[in-house]
Amino acid sequence: MKTFKVLSGLLSYPTEELIEVAPELLSVLDADRLVPASCRQALDVLIEEIATGDLYDLQERYGLLFDRSKTLALHLFEHVHGESRDRGQAMVDLKAMYENAGLVIEANELPDYVPLFLEFLSIRPLSEARDLLGQTAHIFAALAERLGRRQSTYKAVFDALGVIAADVPRREVVDEILKAPDSDPMDLVALDAAWEEEEVRFGPGAQGQGACGHEGLIAKLRHARRAVNSAPSPQQ
């Protein structure tokens, strides 16, 4: 559905083109009627900010949020695998799922980039899209909470995705993701240290073998849940 393309565009780096088409996004959301009324007002505010904002101000705001804060990174596996070697194979699996569905991405694109993931959902049947959203719901819920702490209107996008998703995230899984401390986007030394990690490989020769397709993605995104499930319950 086109709603996913709208949400993808809102999470993309602001450009003149995005500012120009922003008013049209409202009519797309009206036509699809996928985003409930409870989320529309906040989403409309974000769209209006983009439609009427200064390009450089919008880009600066976007960069401070998503480019200079690791805990707000718009990459799914950053919040699931972090620096784990499993991340490379997870990229392979997700890229293969896209290609099996007819979505070919550029060599320099990371498959777990959230706007790209939403582009993929826009070409899938709604039931499948909602199911896949359900598997990422814990990540999006954590991002929504972090954005809410910063009083960012981008929170509206993740709130909308959470409502559309087939499953409600478990609170303990969201809390596990939220344990990572928020960094100061103006502390460049700390920023460099936080982003310094091993190269992520997801092309030919990447380590390991994994299942491709829908079930493979689900297995990768359940990684964050396993630690919670294996922990002793309060009664034990």
Side-chain angles (χ1 to χ4, degrees), residues 126-136 165-167 214-215 218:
L126 180 57
S127 60
E128 179 183 334
R130 293 184 69 241
D131 184 59
L132 288 171
L133 272 181
Q135 304 306 321
T136 61
D167 296 321
H214 184 151
E215 294 301 323
I218 291 174

Side-chain angles (χ1 to χ4, degrees), residues 79-81 138-139 172-174 176-177 219-229:
H79 305 282
V80 178
H81 295 297
H138 52 291
I139 298 173
E172 60 267 35
V173 179
V174 177
E176 281 293 312
I177 297 175
K220 299 300 181 183
L221 292 175
R222 283 178 176 163
H223 176 86
R225 302 183 184 185
R226 290 200 290 269
V228 174
N229 290 339

Side-chain angles (χ1 to χ4, degrees), residues 22-154:
E24 301 174 19
L25 303 182
L26 297 170
S27 59
V28 174
L29 295 177
D30 289 339
D32 275 0
R33 303 179 66 181
L34 186 59
V35 177
S38 60
C39 297
R40 272 301 302 270
Q41 183 176 359
L43 205 55
D44 291 354
V45 169
L46 174 61
I47 293 173
E48 182 179 359
E49 288 178 353
I50 292 174
T52 60
D54 174 80
L55 177 61
Y56 296 108
D57 290 342
L58 293 171
Q59 290 176 341
E60 181 181 26
R61 177 179 70 165
Y62 183 96
L64 287 173
L65 283 173
F66 302 119
D67 295 339
R68 293 177 63 172
S69 178
K70 193 171 184 179
T71 53
L72 288 176
L74 292 179
H75 293 279
L76 293 171
F77 298 138
E78 178 63 41
H79 305 282
V80 178
H81 295 297
E83 298 182 14
S84 167
R85 292 181 181 274
D86 292 336
R87 188 177 180 190
Q89 185 59 47
M91 294 286 195
V92 174
D93 295 341
L94 188 53
K95 183 173 183 286
M97 185 174 72
Y98 291 165
E99 292 176 347
N100 289 339
L103 178 64
V104 179
I105 67 176
E106 298 293 332
N108 62 345
E109 289 185 293
L110 292 179
D112 67 336
Y113 183 48
V114 173
L116 179 59
F117 178 66
L118 296 178
E119 283 279 344
F120 171 71
L121 296 187
S122 74
I123 65 172
R124 306 307 300 158
L126 180 57
S127 60
E128 179 183 334
R130 293 184 69 241
D131 184 59
L132 288 171
L133 272 181
Q135 304 306 321
T136 61
H138 52 291
I139 298 173
F140 292 153
L143 287 170
E145 286 201 32
R146 290 192 185 280
L147 288 166
R149 294 172 188 173
R150 301 186 185 209
Q151 299 182 321
S152 170
T153 48
Y154 277 103

